[in-house]
Amino acid sequence: MNPFKAFTLNWWEGAILIVGTLAAGIAIGTYWHVLFAGYLLALIIIAVVGLAYHAYVWGKQ
């Protein structure tokens, strides 16, 4: 079993994945905001770099 194999999602399956991930992130941020407050800048940098890479790869295809 290869967990890194390629697969395709329908648009609505991708939307469910995004909404679920967003909801989980909001829930974690709501409950553990004090814990992550010291790492906010690092988390923002990681998010920007990851999203920029994803946009680059998506645009390249």
Side-chain angles (χ1 to χ4, degrees), residues 40-58:
L40 184 60
L41 181 61
L43 292 170
I44 290 172
I45 291 170
I46 291 168
V48 168
V49 169
L51 292 171
Y53 174 75
H54 181 74
Y56 171 74
V57 169
W58 185 37

Side-chain angles (χ1 to χ4, degrees), residues 18-61:
I18 290 170
V19 169
T21 304
L22 181 63
I26 291 170
I28 289 170
T30 300
Y31 284 106
W32 297 335
H33 66 279
V34 175
L35 177 69
F36 292 114
Y39 303 105
L40 184 60
L41 181 61
L43 292 170
I44 290 172
I45 291 170
I46 291 168
V48 168
V49 169
L51 292 171
Y53 174 75
H54 181 74
Y56 171 74
V57 169
W58 185 37
K60 191 174 171 183
Q61 293 178 0

